[in-house]
Amino acid sequence: MADAPTGARDLAPVLLFSAFVVATCGLVYELLAGTLASYLLGDSVTQFSTVIGTYLFAMGIGAWLSRYVTANELAVFVRTEILIAAIGGSSAALLFLLFDRVGDFRLPLYGLVLIIGTLVGLEIPLLMRILKDRLEFGDLVSKVLTFDYIGALAASLLFPLVLVPHLGLIRTGFLFGLANVGVALAMLWMLPQASRLRGEMAAGILVAIALVAGLFSAERLQRLAEVAAYQAPIIHAVSTPYQRIVLTRRNDDVRLFLNGNLQFSSRDEYRYHEALVHPALGRIAHPANVLILGGGDGLAAREVLKYPGVRSITLVDLDPAMTRLFTDAPMLAALNGNALRSPKLIIVNADAFVWLRANQRRFGAVIVDFPDPTNFSIGKLYTLSLYRELARAIAPGGIAVVQSTSPLVAPNAYWTVATTLEAAGLTTRGYHAYVPSFGEWGFILAAHGAIADAVALPPGLRFLTPRTAALAFDFPPDMARRPTPVNRLDNQALVRAFDAEWSRVEG
Amino acid sequence: MLTRRSLLATPALAVPGCSFLGALPGTLSGADMARGHLLRTPFAAGTPAETRRTKIAIIGGGIAGLSAAFTLAEAGHRDFRLFELEDSAGGNSRAGRNAVSAYPLGAHYLPIPNPESSGVRHFLERIGTITGWQGGKPVFDPYQIVADPEERILHLGRWQEGLIPAIVPDADRADLAAFFAAMDRFRDHKTSDGRRAFAIPMDLSSRDPDLRALDALSFTAWLDARGWSTPTLRAHLRYCTRDEYGTEPGEVSAWAGIHYFAARRGEAANCAGDAVLTWPAGNGYLAAAMARRVAGHIEPGIVVAAVRTSGDGAQIDALDVANRRRIRILADAAIIALPRFVAAHVVAGASAKGFGYSPWVVANVTADRLPAGQGAKLAWDNVSATSDSLGYVVATHQGLAAVPGPTVLTWYTALSDMTPATARTLMTDRPLADWQRIVHDDLMAMNPDLAGAIRRIDVWRWGHAMVRPVPGFFFGGARENAAKSAPPLFNAHSDLSGLSIFEEAHFRGSTAAEAAMTHLGFAHVSVHTA
Ligand SMILES: Cc1cc2nc3c(=O)[nH]c(=O)nc-3n(C[C@H](O)[C@H](O)[C@H](O)COP(=O)(O)OP(=O)(O)OC[C@H]3O[C@@H](n4cnc5c(N)ncnc54)[C@H](O)[C@@H]3O)c2cc1C
């Protein structure tokens, strides 16, 4: 097609403009891949440098391959353009969706970068050959490369300043895909009637329609791709038979998400775990045997180990992947002070309810740190039936503490836990603490007899002091106790209250 | 191992409705017809290879027969045998089990019993389902009370809690209110004879002629006469009569229709009175509890072919399936805990005139994950407003796992829209793969989210699942006659109540056992106080 029949409209300006578009789009896809990789895999220096390297190398492959195109350059150029539009345009969406569905995310990542790079690399030489009869050689090289580099500049400025903040990664991809296919269609349209490439035209229109559809369903795709929901780079993500564990890190802030729910932020988790553990442990004369239900991150265990009198800690957590991770990963083990490696610790990977029903031992302290009652299965862990089993596990003079959601956001849910513990024959005392990444959070102490005022805190705490620990038991009117039902297996009153109260704030 | 990745990935890859079902594993089974048909062959003639003696012979090991055995054992009786045709006792309350869960093959729940169901309460207390009493009301083991949410219905594409659609026209709402108000009045009604209008066991119901007259017409005719004809009410009532009796509302007696709504006055100290008790194995749990208590007395694989009185006692001829031997049992008394259509073949002089049976199909569907859906969350019992099936119950619903894994769904349908005879022919002719497709498609219409998650479908056919309480059945004479015992033969089966439920089977079995003990002069205290 390079030797287009005379009388055709002059294609040169369009072709040069397409050099600009091809360059912009190519760089945008490369930046998308780099950003996505550092966002999902962390370590942005490595991700960007490997993505850019792969991309440039792939362009080289494309340039080399262009020698095998011996005829029909224009048709090949248009086809390549349409292919880039389809693959590059949907690359961000594809990568997001594939992230938690493939074994090794790097495979699709570098695969896509390689394909897009190769296709883009094929285009510039082809373009030059198409234009070689229309322009003088020196002029040709100068013009094509000028447009190419201007395109690169445009992309690198637009990307961080306009595209990512305003459109997001997925939409940006679709939009540039549309630009790619737009150029291809414009060229096809400018060809003389007789030599129009009908197949290519149809393919181009289909791709354009698909990209527009993608552009409009970006929000839904985003939701499908749960990883897009995290606010910080992911440093570890794994699906176990029980849950999805995701760790993110931004600067010194490490966060753990289970099934998308924040479990802790390393910035303020000490507040949560000090508040969880010490009001209970500090009220027992000689806490020797401690039971922790949930809490596979070892952070509660770290606090328990601050009592030298503790001889053994039994930690029951469903997921072996979780306890293994927090035992073996150096950064996480540092977070829990190697608590999970303590010789005093016995890790039991079992379903807490089932384990507790079978358990015959009694413990001086029981720390109950289950996930929030967001569904009926977890709701069973907060029922009268479980608390009856819990009461059996508390030694005389012993004490239990239950994390019980936010008394500010969900006062009915919070006090339902207290009412239910009391129905199991336990005495309760509720308290609360402010944990910035959670908000105002609530806990409930439960024991067979009266619960003392006096608390003996270990040295070295960062949050609790005897004064704040006492104040925590004071509930202002907006969180004050109110009459609530007993949560039972056959009424799931807690899940219903929790759902109603949290949906009011989360919409 | 099942990973979340595979959970996420499969639905996208599987094409709903796409039929690679031919390869889906499963079994097609049912009550052992071959053994049943031995009754019609003349094998029982001729001389038995062996003659045994026992004081009391119980024939049939469903809930009625097991209740009789349990009652004898509890009373301290030692000398009795129970003969059961199948390889295990339980009858319609049997259960199956696979690597994922136990699951019911038939009966799957027991409502919190009424105070007058004193025998059932006594039994539940003996097996630890009732753990104590508070303020005169029984305390039930919370793990055996159906976990919340109990039921949901798919209506207009959304699941909602309960079994009656919420979004309905005002006229439908008014009819529903009027109907349930009438049922409340019936429930509270006591007649001049001091009896409840409708009681469980039904034998304790009022004898008031006005109430008995309800048996003369069909439920539909009774509703028509009251002008209650709006679609939401009628659809719900159709669901109920099919679910309870396997029969269309136009074919059940109005007395049965009303009994279903007006007879339940369950009492519990620690849950709602209208709750139910359920287990992964369904009522197989109750059958197993009974069978354990009388384990040494049960003889499975014995087809009883003929029962007649002989002298003061009973002579029973049977076939021992394992040895293919004829045996004769001589007993001082016999408790006939057989369905009436079988008893008619076996017991000299017995007739099954007036006894018809509804055919049912039950499928146990093993799936990789729990069903989900728009709207209300998965419940124990899940029903679709637009399906002719009766929906499914979730065998793992009572489980305590915080993160649920694979499950077994027990899917039900009553083949009530054709004559029972046609349905039985269909049941024998239709191959497994066709049943599987029907079950699969029905489930997919309710829960497209299950696409790709179904591992196997096991189909169980009940040709004579439940006695049909057609108009005139309760008080027309035939049932009452069949229920009469002629010592030393004592009749016991839920058929004799016309209501195919656990309580009736238990009542028939335990009262027959007590009558037999009285007949033989064996001292005992009745479990029936009402
Ligand atoms: C699909 C289905 C669902 C149901 N759901 C419920 C429910 O949820 N709740 C409820 O309360 N009820 C339910 N029922 C009703 C159930 O039938 C009763 O609860 C109860 O199990 C009936 O017990 P039975 O002893 O009266 O009868 P059967 O169960 O019919 O017992 C009769 C026994 O006699 C044996 N037998 C037959 N012939 C011979 C012979 N010749 N020799 C020796 N033995 C013989 C049979 O094998 C059987 O074991 C359901 C029934 C079905 C079919």
Side-chain angles (χ1 to χ4, degrees):
Chain A
M1 286 287 146
D3 40 1
T6 45
R9 274 170 280 190
D10 185 9
L11 274 177
V14 190
L15 286 168
L16 285 174
F17 178 68
S18 78
F20 168 78
V21 174
V22 167
T24 320
C25 294
L27 195 66
V28 165
Y29 301 144
E30 179 189 343
L31 291 170
L32 277 176
T35 312
L36 249 154
S38 37
Y39 173 58
L40 295 176
L41 301 171
D43 193 356
S44 50
V45 176
T46 311
Q47 305 311 342
F48 265 103
S49 119
T50 50
V51 164
I52 292 174
T54 310
Y55 186 74
L56 289 178
F57 171 65
M59 280 181 65
I61 301 178
W64 177 74
L65 283 176
S66 70
R67 67 191 297 159
Y68 296 106
V69 181
T70 49
N72 274 349
E73 284 93 345
L74 189 55
V76 176
F77 180 82
V78 169
R79 280 180 212 147
T80 313
E81 187 89 344
I82 294 171
L83 257 183
I84 299 181
I87 300 174
S90 54
S91 62
L94 267 176
L95 288 174
F96 263 130
L97 287 174
L98 284 175
F99 178 67
D100 46 357
R101 288 171 171 82
V102 295
D104 191 344
F105 178 63
R106 277 165 296 197
L107 228 68
L109 173 71
Y110 294 115
L112 273 175
V113 171
L114 212 61
I115 294 172
I116 297 170
T118 308
L119 292 172
V120 173
L122 189 64
E123 290 222 291
I124 299 297
L126 282 183
L127 199 60
M128 290 193 177
R129 279 161 54 189
I130 298 167
L131 283 167
K132 75 173 189 295
D133 300 333
R134 295 185 169 84
L135 296 171
E136 179 258 327
F137 182 70
D139 192 25
L140 169 73
V141 175
S142 138
K143 279 199 170 131
V144 169
L145 290 184
T146 306
F147 278 103
D148 188 25
Y149 291 129
I150 293 178
L153 176 69
S156 55
L157 291 179
L158 275 176
F159 190 76
L161 298 179
V162 182
L163 299 175
V164 175
H166 292 289
L167 290 179
L169 299 176
I170 294 181
R171 262 195 218 109
T172 301
F174 285 126
L175 193 69
F176 279 79
L178 272 173
N180 265 149
V181 75
V183 165
L185 286 173
M187 275 165 62
L188 287 171
W189 183 69
M190 290 190 62
L191 287 180
Q193 205 73 28
S195 53
R196 278 197 186 164
L197 303 161
R198 297 197 181 282
E200 280 74 1
M201 186 77 105
I205 290 171
L206 277 182
V207 167
I209 291 173
L211 290 169
V212 169
L215 197 61
F216 283 104
S217 46
E219 209 125 307
R220 282 191 55 196
L221 290 170
Q222 184 100 8
R223 249 180 286 129
L224 274 177
E226 50 139 353
V227 290
Y230 300 109
Q231 320 257 314
I234 292 177
I235 53 172
H236 182 87
V238 61
S239 291
T240 77
Y242 304 106
Q243 59 199 339
R244 178 150 182 84
I245 304 176
V246 172
L247 279 162
T248 69
R249 185 173 67 188
R250 167 150 293 151
N251 305 321
D252 63 346
D253 184 14
V254 177
R255 291 175 178 227
L256 170 70
F257 294 84
L258 298 182
N259 296 332
N261 296 317
L262 177 65
Q263 303 302 301
F264 70 73
S265 151
S266 62
R267 283 211 181 140
D268 58 18
E269 61 77 16
Y270 66 92
R271 280 187 161 237
Y272 178 88
H273 291 103
E274 285 185 15
L276 173 68
V277 170
H278 301 297
L281 272 276
R283 281 179 166 77
I284 308 164
H286 306 287
N289 298 312
V290 179
L291 171 65
I292 301 176
L293 300 173
D297 53 26
L299 299 171
R302 176 193 67 201
E303 296 302 316
V304 173
L305 286 167
K306 291 182 177 164
Y307 297 80
V310 168
R311 280 203 305 271
S312 102
I313 304 175
T314 306
L315 189 151
V316 181
D317 191 287
L318 184 58
D319 196 347
M322 180 78 179
T323 44
R324 226 181 296 125
L325 182 66
F326 278 81
T327 310
D328 296 339
M331 188 184 66
L332 302 175
L335 216 52
N336 62 35
N338 271 313
L340 297 185
R341 287 181 187 276
S342 162
K344 296 179 179 176
L345 201 82
I346 306 153
I347 296 177
V348 183
N349 290 121
D351 208 297
F353 205 142
V354 179
W355 184 89
L356 205 54
R357 263 188 100 180
N359 164 61
Q360 297 299 335
R361 276 183 68 193
R362 291 179 155 217
F363 299 85
V366 186
I367 290 156
V368 185
D369 194 11
F370 291 137
D372 289 340
T374 48
N375 65 44
F376 291 122
S377 298
I378 300 175
K380 293 183 178 183
L381 297 172
Y382 290 81
T383 54
L384 178 60
S385 296
L386 184 120
Y387 292 153
R388 288 228 163 98
E389 311 291 354
L390 175 66
R392 279 196 310 115
I394 306 174
I399 201 161
V401 59
V402 181
Q403 93 81 1
S404 332
T405 181
S406 168
L408 185 61
V409 174
N412 284 301
Y414 176 80
W415 291 111
T416 296
V417 177
T419 309
T420 308
L421 283 161
E422 287 159 9
L426 296 165
T427 317
T428 67
R429 285 188 71 178
Y431 62 97
H432 56 98
Y434 181 65
V435 184
S437 49
F438 288 169
E440 195 65 44
W441 214 253
F443 307 86
I444 295 167
L445 293 178
H448 287 300
I451 298 169
D453 279 334
V455 58
L457 299 175
L461 300 188
R462 294 165 69 194
F463 174 54
L464 283 189
T465 64
R467 223 179 100 73
T468 54
L471 280 178
F473 288 83
D474 193 46
F475 281 83
D478 58 354
M479 309 193 281
R481 179 136 199 187
R482 53 210 70 198
T484 53
V486 173
N487 184 40
R488 298 189 316 248
L489 288 169
D490 67 296
N491 71 5
Q492 294 269 14
L494 179 67
V495 173
R496 292 170 187 280
F498 181 91
D499 197 52
E501 293 181 306
W502 278 92
S503 60
R504 270 209 300 277
V505 290
E506 289 176 343
Chain B
M1 192 180 353
L2 192 76
T3 65
R4 180 143 181 283
R5 183 169 291 136
S6 67
L7 294 188
L8 286 169
T10 353
L13 299 179
V15 185
C18 153
S19 166
F20 36 77
L21 269 177
L24 200 62
T27 51
L28 182 62
S29 8
D32 197 320
M33 300 199 199
R35 287 185 196 179
H37 288 153
L38 283 176
L39 297 180
R40 300 193 186 155
T41 63
F43 84 91
T47 42
E50 182 197 336
T51 299
R52 302 184 202 165
R53 289 184 177 277
T54 184
K55 261 231 150 44
I56 301 180
I58 302 169
I59 301 157
I63 295 298
L66 287 169
S67 300
F70 191 91
T71 306
L72 293 179
E74 288 284 298
H77 214 289
R78 283 280 192 18
D79 190 2
F80 67 91
R81 313 296 300 164
L82 182 155
F83 301 98
E84 165 58 45
L85 173 146
E86 304 278 353
D87 290 332
S88 65
N92 291 345
S93 295
R94 266 174 294 165
R97 170 182 285 282
N98 64 20
V100 170
S101 176
Y103 49 79
L105 295 173
H108 46 292
Y109 73 97
L110 170 63
I112 295 291
N114 286 355
E116 74 267 20
S117 298
S118 53
V120 171
R121 282 181 169 195
H122 180 263
F123 161 68
L124 294 178
E125 196 170 359
R126 295 294 301 145
I127 64 165
T129 298
I130 291 177
T131 56
W133 296 79
Q134 240 173 49
K137 293 179 178 176
V139 177
F140 290 88
D141 174 3
Y143 299 107
Q144 303 183 39
I145 301 168
V146 66
D148 184 56
E150 182 180 341
E151 50 202 14
R152 63 171 183 170
I153 186 167
L154 182 64
H155 181 236
L156 304 176
R158 257 186 99 75
W159 290 98
Q160 56 156 86
E161 289 198 36
L163 289 180
I164 302 177
I167 308 165
V168 296
D170 287 344
D172 293 44
R173 200 180 313 282
D175 264 10
L176 284 163
F179 174 80
F180 284 109
M183 294 303 114
D184 287 346
R185 285 195 297 278
F186 274 125
R187 186 178 310 114
D188 297 338
H189 189 43
K190 266 192 179 171
T191 50
S192 52
D193 53 6
R195 290 173 167 236
R196 294 281 182 184
F198 296 90
I200 302 172
M202 57 80 66
D203 224 33
L204 302 182
S205 300
S206 168
R207 309 236 160 106
D208 187 309
D210 287 350
L211 289 168
R212 289 187 162 216
L214 290 167
D215 185 36
L217 69 167
S218 78
F219 194 29
T220 300
W222 184 79
L223 292 165
D224 286 345
R226 262 141 212 86
W228 292 330
S229 55
T230 47
T232 311
L233 175 68
R234 288 301 180 95
H236 179 63
L237 301 186
R238 173 168 187 255
Y239 166 80
C240 291
T241 62
R242 290 181 69 231
D243 196 48
E244 189 74 0
Y245 307 122
T247 307
E248 300 287 329
E251 292 174 64
V252 299
S253 125
W255 198 88
I258 299 169
H259 186 277
Y260 174 78
F261 292 99
R264 297 232 169 261
R265 287 174 307 275
E267 285 187 354
N270 62 331
C271 67
D274 60 0
V276 304
L277 303 165
T278 190
W279 308 264
N283 291 7
Y285 175 90
L286 299 172
M290 289 176 169
R292 261 198 309 279
R293 178 76 180 80
V294 297
H297 298 267
I298 299 179
E299 298 197 27
I302 304 285
V303 183
V304 170
V307 180
R308 63 179 64 84
T309 45
S310 141
D312 285 346
Q315 173 190 308
I316 298 149
D317 287 304
L319 179 73
D320 181 338
V321 177
N323 309 321
R324 295 220 136 260
R325 288 198 322 163
R326 277 183 219 108
I327 57 172
R328 171 163 293 171
I329 298 116
L330 298 177
D332 293 350
I335 294 171
I336 320 286
L338 297 172
R340 196 63 191 171
F341 75 94
V342 179
H345 286 290
V346 169
V347 182
S351 149
K353 208 170 157 308
F355 287 75
Y357 294 84
S358 64
W360 279 62
V361 173
V362 178
N364 276 288
V365 181
T366 307
D368 285 344
R369 56 173 180 271
L370 293 179
Q374 288 281 313
K377 295 282 184 319
L378 183 69
W380 166 66
D381 190 9
N382 305 269
V383 174
S384 164
T386 49
S387 168
D388 246 10
S389 83
L390 297 164
Y392 61 88
V393 297
V394 181
T396 54
H397 184 75
Q398 298 295 97
L400 299 173
V403 179
T407 191
V408 176
L409 311 173
T410 310
W411 177 97
Y412 290 86
T413 198
L415 304 180
S416 57
D417 55 355
M418 57 188 99
T419 68
T422 311
R424 268 170 226 130
T425 312
L426 184 79
M427 283 169 95
T428 36
D429 290 354
R430 187 175 276 167
L432 173 65
D434 288 14
W435 284 118
Q436 287 181 320
R437 186 159 301 114
I438 289 167
V439 176
H440 177 270
D441 290 353
D442 189 62
L443 266 180
M444 283 304 144
M446 292 168 85
N447 286 98
D449 52 285
L450 282 179
I454 293 175
R455 286 292 150 260
R456 60 181 293 132
I457 299 180
D458 296 294
V459 177
W460 191 281
R461 300 158 299 175
W462 295 105
H464 296 79
M466 296 174 172
V467 65
R468 281 159 46 95
V470 295
F473 182 77
F474 290 102
F475 307 115
R479 182 194 67 83
E480 288 118 310
N481 273 336
K484 281 196 196 109
S485 291
L489 306 186
F490 298 87
N491 292 336
H493 190 275
S494 53
D495 281 6
L496 305 176
S497 298
L499 302 171
S500 187
I501 54 176
F502 179 90
E503 299 95 313
E504 296 293 349
H506 182 273
F507 177 76
R508 296 288 163 183
S510 53
T511 48
E514 289 178 353
M517 286 190 282
T518 306
H519 172 71
L520 297 179
F522 194 91
H524 64 278
V525 181
S526 175
V527 296
H528 303 278
T529 53

